[in-house]
Amino acid sequence: MNKNQTTLSKSASGGSSQKYIIATAFLSLFAIVGLALYGLPFFYDFWESAYGWSRTTITSGNALGKLVVAPLFGFIAGWMIDRYGPRKLMISGALMAGMAVMGLSLTGGSLKLFYLFYIFNALGYVFAGPLPCQVLISRWFEKNRGKAMGIAYLGIGTGGALVPLLSNGFESRFGWQIALVALGALIVLIALPMAFFIKEPVVKAEKKETSAPAVSIGSILKNRNFYLLCFGSLCAIGVVGGVNQHLKLYLRDLEYTQEAAAHIISLVLLFSLAGRVLMGWLADLFSRKHVMVLIYLMVASAIPLLMVPDFPGRIYLFAILFGIGLGGDYMIIPLMAGDLFGVRALGRTMGIILVADGIAESVFPMMVGAMYDGFGRSYMPAFAVLIGVALVGTVIISFLPKKKVSL
């Protein structure tokens, strides 16, 4: 084989591997985030009626799971991915997430079991969710990284758009307990097989960085941009979580049927697909800082639509704006982190940021639930707070640099 043939062979092999990485990340995000994270809130009103739990209690499972798991395992997971690669973590995470969702059908109103299964669900999210997928994409792609991340993150929107329809179908035929078992089985069947064949990433995207010394975590922690990114993203992710976790309950308060509520939630996640593609495309053309600010402003501008008097198309307009903002939110953070701190330190950097984001994503829904219970079963005060937090996050992000900085 001559030199040109060898080059073509390597190029074809690399292209095939990149497609496999995107497919693996897509399916993992589809199952671990799309089905598990966005799927469980569909069952909140069933737990409320079956067990008599308050909305504070219902949202406390996700909060406790993330609060226990994120500080203990988030840093470790980031370090392990940087050191050993994501394969083993993704396999174990898929199993834990699937079993946890199945287990939530068996609590029988026991808060201890409820919290235990949510802890395992949080472990599945840390080990097989955004963190390993972000590292995979960032290591395998140098050019068009934004587009690649956007395609992979379509898995979240696709899974999130389908899960309320699937859950409603399962629940209407077999009851909510069997629906949870079926959902947990799907998570394992979708996320697990592809993870078995992930290659340890010795990839082209790293070659330009291997000649430079790796950025130490100490250098990152001393850099003010790390804290701007961390606290800015914390605000946005917390707000998104606060709205998402309560959206079905909000719709049920407005007397939407199970089917109608499922379709609205599905619509939000459907528009998130467009948001991921659009924001990934914009992130490759313009300053990612400015794209990030745009995303946060879209999230902040959507929430008032849940507070104003009803008018024709109000909920659908909310679904479009919030869905597009939601689609870009999770995707833009690792792109910005990669620009600021480099791909080789991305696992450690995002490990810390995802700890903070995960805590916010779980605590904010519980705060919204507590405010709902404490203010006469009204979401208006909590939504007002969420708008303020989203705007604060936008201001924080505006202080980030446009380009990579020296550490």
Side-chain angles (χ1 to χ4, degrees):
M1 184 180 292
N2 62 37
K3 185 177 180 180
N4 288 337
Q5 288 175 318
T6 302
T7 302
L8 287 172
S9 177
K10 288 182 178 179
S11 176
S13 176
S16 177
S17 296
Q18 287 183 330
K19 290 176 183 177
Y20 187 88
I21 292 299
I22 291 177
T24 302
F26 177 96
L27 290 174
S28 187
L29 292 170
F30 178 102
I32 303 299
V33 185
L35 298 187
L37 181 64
Y38 291 127
L40 287 177
F42 180 84
F43 298 91
Y44 284 0
D45 59 320
F46 298 116
W47 297 339
E48 186 179 39
S49 59
Y51 305 137
W53 290 344
S54 70
R55 297 191 182 182
T56 309
T57 300
I58 289 169
T59 52
S60 69
N62 186 50
L64 180 70
K66 294 285 178 64
L67 287 171
V68 169
V69 168
L72 291 176
F73 293 95
F75 301 106
I76 297 173
W79 176 82
M80 289 177 68
I81 290 170
D82 281 342
R83 184 71 181 270
Y84 302 110
R87 179 177 173 272
K88 292 180 180 178
L89 270 72
M90 292 179 74
I91 291 171
S92 59
L95 290 171
M96 285 188 283
M99 296 302 292
V101 172
M102 293 183 201
L104 285 168
S105 69
L106 305 172
T107 63
S110 167
L111 281 175
K112 289 182 180 179
L113 287 176
F114 180 68
Y115 292 141
L116 176 64
F117 289 125
Y118 255 110
I119 287 172
F120 276 100
N121 191 50
L123 282 169
Y125 182 88
V126 169
F127 289 152
L131 177 58
C133 294
Q134 289 165 3
V135 173
L136 273 177
I137 296 295
S138 295
R139 287 184 176 180
W140 280 86
F141 289 86
E142 182 176 9
K143 291 183 178 180
N144 299 319
R145 187 180 298 158
K147 291 187 181 70
M149 197 80 75
I151 294 169
Y153 267 63
L154 290 176
I156 295 178
T158 305
L162 289 175
V163 71
L165 306 179
L166 289 171
S167 298
N168 182 61
F170 288 141
E171 186 277 328
S172 63
R173 289 170 176 79
F174 309 111
W176 64 266
Q177 289 98 334
I178 299 299
L180 278 170
V181 173
L183 194 62
L186 279 176
I187 290 169
V188 175
L189 290 173
I190 292 170
L192 187 63
M194 295 284 281
F196 270 109
F197 301 102
I198 293 175
K199 295 179 181 178
E200 297 302 332
V202 180
V203 296
K204 186 164 58 178
E206 288 185 326
K207 287 183 179 177
K208 289 188 178 181
E209 292 196 14
T210 53
S211 59
V215 177
S216 70
I217 197 64
S219 301
I220 294 170
L221 292 175
K222 291 176 183 177
N223 190 284
R224 75 160 195 144
N225 294 309
F226 169 80
Y227 296 97
L228 290 174
L229 180 60
C230 186
F231 285 106
S233 67
L234 181 153
C235 290
I237 295 297
V239 169
V240 166
V243 174
N244 270 329
Q245 295 282 313
H246 285 271
L247 183 55
K248 190 194 177 190
L249 293 169
Y250 169 84
L251 294 171
R252 293 288 285 157
D253 285 349
L254 297 180
E255 299 184 352
Y256 278 70
T257 65
Q258 291 286 345
E259 184 178 2
H263 279 90
I264 294 297
I265 298 167
S266 179
L267 189 64
V268 170
L269 275 298
L270 190 63
F271 273 98
S272 79
L273 295 173
R276 293 179 209 284
V277 174
L278 174 62
M279 296 305 168
W281 176 70
L282 290 176
D284 283 335
L285 292 178
F286 303 104
S287 164
R288 286 170 181 169
K289 165 189 163 178
H290 293 152
V291 176
M292 202 170 193
V293 167
L294 172 63
I295 291 168
Y296 287 18
L297 287 175
M298 291 190 73
V299 171
S301 65
I303 300 173
L305 290 167
L306 299 177
M307 304 171 68
V308 300
D310 197 19
F311 60 84
R314 175 177 69 98
I315 294 298
Y316 294 99
L317 182 58
F318 161 80
I320 293 170
L321 274 176
F322 187 75
I324 293 173
L326 169 67
D329 196 3
Y330 290 91
M331 182 200 64
I332 197 68
I333 299 169
L335 292 175
M336 196 72 207
D339 284 353
L340 292 173
F341 309 113
V343 173
R344 294 183 67 196
L346 189 63
R348 285 161 289 166
T349 305
M350 287 307 301
I352 300 170
I353 290 175
L354 286 176
V355 167
D357 288 351
I359 291 172
E361 187 179 44
S362 57
V363 170
F364 273 61
M366 190 175 176
M367 177 202 74
V368 171
M371 292 184 71
Y372 173 89
D373 293 333
F375 283 92
R377 296 179 68 82
S378 171
Y379 277 118
M380 297 306 108
F383 286 163
V385 170
L386 293 181
I387 293 168
V389 173
L391 292 175
V392 168
T394 306
V395 172
I396 292 173
I397 291 301
S398 70
F399 288 101
L400 283 171
K402 293 181 182 179
K403 298 180 179 180
K404 183 175 179 179
V405 295
S406 299
L407 295 175

